[in-house]
Amino acid sequence: KESAGEEANYPRWVRVNAIKSNLEDQLESTFSAFTRANSVQDVIMKSGKHLFIDPHVPNLVAVTSGTDLTKTEAYASGKIILQDKASCFPAYLLDPQSEDGDLIDACAAPGNKTTHLAAILKEHQPEFETSPQIIYAFEKDSRRAQTLDKMVTTAGSKTDTRIGFGQDFLQVDPRAERYKSVGALLLDPSCSGSGIVGRDFMPDLHLPEISSTTEKGTTGKANKRKRKHGEFEAEEPCNVIVDDDGNETIMKSEKDLETRLEALSGFQLTLLLHAFRFPSARKITYSTCSVHMQENERVVMRALQSDIAKERNWSIMLRKDQVTGMREWPVRGLTSACGGNEDVADACIRSYKDDGQGVMGFFVAGFVRLGTQDAGSG
Ligand code: SAM
């Protein structure tokens, strides 16, 4: 196999973009030389070109890694998108329907989940050339917003999507007229990136090389690791903590990591509580590519216990209410991190990069609110 190291234990995940193509067409064209495998493990282990149709997420396939799909017409034209399986969970779990109205992707660049949302809208309403529902995609980092714009254009979802270039989601007024029909929000904020394949996060703190600064007070400098095989970097993790005065501390120890996780989880919770305030919102997904409970179950629990959640009737989206593939996904949240609440833990969806499923470490939970009426003071 061409790929080496940790990445050799993973397939290349490919999402067929329902806006521009469909699975059958791609199996007959881009993947015509691939042999159908019976499992992800077969794709990983067997020599030659193999393909496995994912049983959980629609329009997703695992193919032999080391295959350079970036040279294909399908990739160049946005018919296929190289996106890890776990990264497909949030949009699929949110499952936006026509009655959900407009959508927000709060932390959108590079756009994997924005384009996935647009594809789901299209699948639900194939009769529309352009979905009548708007996706507001905010991205605080202007440079990353350019990448988002490019990805949205290539994927063919430009007409549905309004990009907030350099827009901080926390500065977006939930009461603004234009967001009054926003019924569902996808929240995929900056995180430690500890679930990303190819990164040893702990215990040795072999963190990625430092290059440019991201948001103050939460994450510090970003990694400029070269993109591999055309997959857009979902996150730019860092090993620098920047405090509110702009002072930088390089993380060298577990104590530094704890400090950073505390800062990140405070930021993640603030974003989630802000999402709770949108008057017509009925569904939210919260996700990270982190395996740390501080950024995951603990944020979920703090959000559920918040005054705003109680005022506005937000609760966890229970496993039984989730879309089929997510209900069937076996890896769930940590009960101990949910204060012993087994229902909340079971509602949380996790993945671990070393569990043989061939996916990155990830976390996602859904929140639901009964009724579309504005129940709280906001
Ligand atoms: N959802 C993206 C995808 O699937 O392609 C990945 C998002 S990445 C994990 C988090 C992004 O959120 C980063 O691009 C970061 O610049 C952006 N971000 C961080 N804080 C933000 C804020 N307050 N408002 C909007 N964007 C923010």
Short mmCIF file of all heavy atoms in Angstrom, two decimals, residues 87 105-113 138-141 144 167-170 188-190 215 234-235 267 271, ligand 1:
data_model
loop_
_atom_site.label_atom_id
_atom_site.label_comp_id
_atom_site.label_asym_id
_atom_site.label_seq_id
_atom_site.Cartn_x
_atom_site.Cartn_y
_atom_site.Cartn_z
N SER A 87 -17.12 12.44 10.17
CA SER A 87 -17.40 13.84 9.83
C SER A 87 -18.75 13.97 9.09
O SER A 87 -19.30 15.07 8.98
CB SER A 87 -16.25 14.37 8.97
OG SER A 87 -16.60 15.53 8.31
N ASP A 105 -24.98 26.74 9.73
CA ASP A 105 -23.75 26.00 10.04
C ASP A 105 -22.86 27.04 10.69
O ASP A 105 -22.33 27.94 10.03
CB ASP A 105 -23.15 25.44 8.74
CG ASP A 105 -21.94 24.56 9.03
OD1 ASP A 105 -21.47 24.55 10.18
OD2 ASP A 105 -21.46 23.89 8.09
N ALA A 106 -22.71 26.94 12.00
CA ALA A 106 -22.12 28.04 12.79
C ALA A 106 -20.62 28.19 12.61
O ALA A 106 -20.09 29.30 12.72
CB ALA A 106 -22.45 27.84 14.27
N CYS A 107 -19.92 27.10 12.38
CA CYS A 107 -18.45 27.09 12.28
C CYS A 107 -18.12 26.28 11.03
O CYS A 107 -17.84 25.09 11.12
CB CYS A 107 -17.85 26.44 13.51
SG CYS A 107 -18.26 27.27 15.05
N ALA A 108 -18.16 26.90 9.89
CA ALA A 108 -18.38 26.12 8.66
C ALA A 108 -17.16 25.68 7.86
O ALA A 108 -17.23 24.67 7.17
CB ALA A 108 -19.32 26.89 7.75
N ALA A 109 -16.06 26.44 7.88
CA ALA A 109 -14.94 26.11 6.98
C ALA A 109 -14.25 24.83 7.44
O ALA A 109 -14.14 24.60 8.64
CB ALA A 109 -13.94 27.25 6.96
N PRO A 110 -13.78 24.02 6.52
CA PRO A 110 -13.73 24.21 5.06
C PRO A 110 -15.03 23.89 4.31
O PRO A 110 -15.10 24.13 3.12
CB PRO A 110 -12.62 23.26 4.63
CG PRO A 110 -12.66 22.17 5.65
CD PRO A 110 -13.05 22.81 6.95
N GLY A 111 -16.04 23.35 4.99
CA GLY A 111 -17.33 23.21 4.31
C GLY A 111 -17.81 21.79 4.09
O GLY A 111 -18.80 21.58 3.38
N ASN A 112 -17.14 20.83 4.71
CA ASN A 112 -17.59 19.43 4.54
C ASN A 112 -19.05 19.28 4.96
O ASN A 112 -19.85 18.66 4.24
CB ASN A 112 -16.73 18.49 5.39
CG ASN A 112 -15.30 18.42 4.90
OD1 ASN A 112 -15.06 18.08 3.75
ND2 ASN A 112 -14.36 18.77 5.75
N LYS A 113 -19.37 19.85 6.12
CA LYS A 113 -20.72 19.64 6.65
C LYS A 113 -21.72 20.59 6.00
O LYS A 113 -22.89 20.25 5.84
CB LYS A 113 -20.70 19.76 8.18
CG LYS A 113 -19.81 18.68 8.78
CD LYS A 113 -19.60 18.78 10.25
CE LYS A 113 -18.53 17.81 10.73
NZ LYS A 113 -17.15 18.22 10.42
N PHE A 138 -21.40 30.34 8.65
CA PHE A 138 -20.52 31.37 9.23
C PHE A 138 -19.11 30.82 9.41
O PHE A 138 -18.94 29.66 9.80
CB PHE A 138 -21.06 31.82 10.59
CG PHE A 138 -22.46 32.35 10.52
CD1 PHE A 138 -23.48 31.77 11.25
CD2 PHE A 138 -22.75 33.44 9.71
CE1 PHE A 138 -24.78 32.26 11.17
CE2 PHE A 138 -24.05 33.94 9.63
CZ PHE A 138 -25.06 33.34 10.36
N GLU A 139 -18.15 31.67 9.15
CA GLU A 139 -16.76 31.29 9.39
C GLU A 139 -15.98 32.52 9.82
O GLU A 139 -15.87 33.50 9.09
CB GLU A 139 -16.13 30.67 8.13
CG GLU A 139 -14.66 30.36 8.24
CD GLU A 139 -14.25 29.60 9.50
OE1 GLU A 139 -14.80 28.53 9.78
OE2 GLU A 139 -13.35 30.10 10.23
N LYS A 140 -15.48 32.45 11.05
CA LYS A 140 -14.80 33.59 11.67
C LYS A 140 -13.46 33.92 11.00
O LYS A 140 -13.07 35.08 10.92
CB LYS A 140 -14.57 33.23 13.14
CG LYS A 140 -14.08 34.33 14.01
CD LYS A 140 -14.08 33.83 15.43
CE LYS A 140 -13.26 34.75 16.30
NZ LYS A 140 -13.15 34.25 17.66
N ASP A 141 -12.78 32.90 10.55
CA ASP A 141 -11.45 33.08 9.95
C ASP A 141 -11.62 33.36 8.44
O ASP A 141 -12.06 32.49 7.69
CB ASP A 141 -10.65 31.79 10.19
CG ASP A 141 -9.23 31.86 9.66
OD1 ASP A 141 -9.03 32.34 8.52
OD2 ASP A 141 -8.33 31.40 10.36
N ARG A 144 -9.96 30.93 5.97
CA ARG A 144 -10.66 29.66 5.87
C ARG A 144 -12.03 29.82 5.19
O ARG A 144 -12.53 28.90 4.55
CB ARG A 144 -10.81 29.03 7.27
CG ARG A 144 -9.50 28.43 7.77
CD ARG A 144 -9.57 27.98 9.21
NE ARG A 144 -10.48 26.88 9.49
CZ ARG A 144 -10.22 25.58 9.30
NH1 ARG A 144 -9.05 25.22 8.81
NH2 ARG A 144 -11.11 24.67 9.60
N GLN A 167 -17.27 35.97 9.72
CA GLN A 167 -18.36 36.21 10.67
C GLN A 167 -18.24 35.33 11.91
O GLN A 167 -18.22 34.11 11.82
CB GLN A 167 -19.71 35.94 9.98
CG GLN A 167 -20.91 36.04 10.88
CD GLN A 167 -21.18 37.46 11.38
OE1 GLN A 167 -21.38 38.37 10.59
NE2 GLN A 167 -21.14 37.64 12.70
N ASP A 168 -18.18 35.99 13.06
CA ASP A 168 -18.17 35.29 14.34
C ASP A 168 -19.61 34.92 14.68
O ASP A 168 -20.47 35.81 14.80
CB ASP A 168 -17.56 36.23 15.40
CG ASP A 168 -17.48 35.59 16.78
OD1 ASP A 168 -18.14 34.57 17.01
OD2 ASP A 168 -16.75 36.15 17.61
N PHE A 169 -19.87 33.66 14.86
CA PHE A 169 -21.24 33.21 15.16
C PHE A 169 -21.77 33.87 16.44
O PHE A 169 -22.96 34.17 16.55
CB PHE A 169 -21.26 31.68 15.27
CG PHE A 169 -22.57 31.12 15.74
CD1 PHE A 169 -23.73 31.31 15.01
CD2 PHE A 169 -22.65 30.38 16.93
CE1 PHE A 169 -24.96 30.79 15.45
CE2 PHE A 169 -23.87 29.86 17.37
CZ PHE A 169 -25.02 30.07 16.63
N LEU A 170 -20.88 34.11 17.37
CA LEU A 170 -21.33 34.70 18.64
C LEU A 170 -21.82 36.14 18.46
O LEU A 170 -22.52 36.67 19.32
CB LEU A 170 -20.20 34.66 19.68
CG LEU A 170 -19.83 33.25 20.17
CD1 LEU A 170 -18.62 33.29 21.08
CD2 LEU A 170 -21.02 32.62 20.89
N ASP A 188 -20.11 22.83 14.90
CA ASP A 188 -18.92 21.98 14.81
C ASP A 188 -17.71 22.86 15.14
O ASP A 188 -16.89 23.14 14.27
CB ASP A 188 -18.85 21.41 13.38
CG ASP A 188 -17.75 20.38 13.20
OD1 ASP A 188 -17.59 19.53 14.09
OD2 ASP A 188 -17.05 20.44 12.18
N PRO A 189 -17.61 23.31 16.38
CA PRO A 189 -16.62 24.34 16.70
C PRO A 189 -15.17 23.84 16.76
O PRO A 189 -14.93 22.64 16.74
CB PRO A 189 -17.06 24.80 18.10
CG PRO A 189 -17.78 23.66 18.68
CD PRO A 189 -18.40 22.89 17.55
N SER A 190 -14.28 24.79 16.86
CA SER A 190 -12.86 24.46 17.05
C SER A 190 -12.73 23.57 18.28
O SER A 190 -13.44 23.74 19.26
CB SER A 190 -12.06 25.74 17.29
OG SER A 190 -12.18 26.59 16.18
N GLU A 215 -8.43 31.80 17.03
CA GLU A 215 -9.08 32.70 17.98
C GLU A 215 -8.39 32.80 19.34
O GLU A 215 -7.90 31.84 19.88
CB GLU A 215 -10.55 32.34 18.15
CG GLU A 215 -10.81 31.10 18.93
CD GLU A 215 -10.98 29.92 18.01
OE1 GLU A 215 -10.72 30.07 16.81
OE2 GLU A 215 -11.36 28.87 18.51
N ALA A 234 -10.32 19.45 8.51
CA ALA A 234 -11.52 19.85 9.24
C ALA A 234 -11.16 20.83 10.35
O ALA A 234 -11.93 21.68 10.72
CB ALA A 234 -12.20 18.64 9.83
N GLU A 235 -9.99 20.72 10.87
CA GLU A 235 -9.65 21.52 12.03
C GLU A 235 -8.16 21.80 12.01
O GLU A 235 -7.38 21.05 11.45
CB GLU A 235 -10.04 20.73 13.29
CG GLU A 235 -9.67 21.38 14.59
CD GLU A 235 -10.24 22.76 14.73
OE1 GLU A 235 -9.91 23.64 13.90
OE2 GLU A 235 -11.00 22.99 15.66
N PHE A 267 -15.48 27.84 25.56
CA PHE A 267 -15.83 28.42 24.25
C PHE A 267 -16.92 27.59 23.56
O PHE A 267 -17.91 28.11 23.03
CB PHE A 267 -14.54 28.49 23.42
CG PHE A 267 -14.71 28.49 21.94
CD1 PHE A 267 -15.16 29.62 21.28
CD2 PHE A 267 -14.39 27.36 21.19
CE1 PHE A 267 -15.30 29.61 19.90
CE2 PHE A 267 -14.53 27.35 19.81
CZ PHE A 267 -14.99 28.48 19.17
N LEU A 271 -20.85 28.76 22.56
CA LEU A 271 -21.43 28.67 21.21
C LEU A 271 -22.75 27.89 21.24
O LEU A 271 -23.73 28.28 20.62
CB LEU A 271 -20.47 27.95 20.26
CG LEU A 271 -19.27 28.72 19.74
CD1 LEU A 271 -18.41 27.81 18.87
CD2 LEU A 271 -19.67 29.93 18.92
N1 SAM B 1 -17.56 22.18 10.03
C1 SAM B 1 -16.30 22.25 9.30
C2 SAM B 1 -16.27 21.15 8.27
O1 SAM B 1 -16.88 20.11 8.48
O2 SAM B 1 -15.65 21.33 7.21
C3 SAM B 1 -15.11 22.18 10.23
C4 SAM B 1 -15.16 23.27 11.26
S1 SAM B 1 -13.67 23.44 12.21
C5 SAM B 1 -13.82 22.12 13.30
C6 SAM B 1 -14.09 24.83 13.18
C7 SAM B 1 -14.15 26.12 12.42
O3 SAM B 1 -14.83 27.07 13.22
C8 SAM B 1 -12.81 26.73 12.12
O4 SAM B 1 -12.72 27.00 10.74
C9 SAM B 1 -12.79 28.03 12.92
O5 SAM B 1 -12.10 29.08 12.26
C10 SAM B 1 -14.27 28.35 13.01
N2 SAM B 1 -14.68 29.17 14.17
C11 SAM B 1 -14.17 29.18 15.40
N3 SAM B 1 -14.84 30.05 16.19
C12 SAM B 1 -15.83 30.55 15.44
C13 SAM B 1 -16.86 31.50 15.70
N4 SAM B 1 -16.99 32.07 16.90
N5 SAM B 1 -17.71 31.82 14.71
C14 SAM B 1 -17.57 31.24 13.47
N6 SAM B 1 -16.59 30.37 13.17
C15 SAM B 1 -15.74 30.01 14.14
#
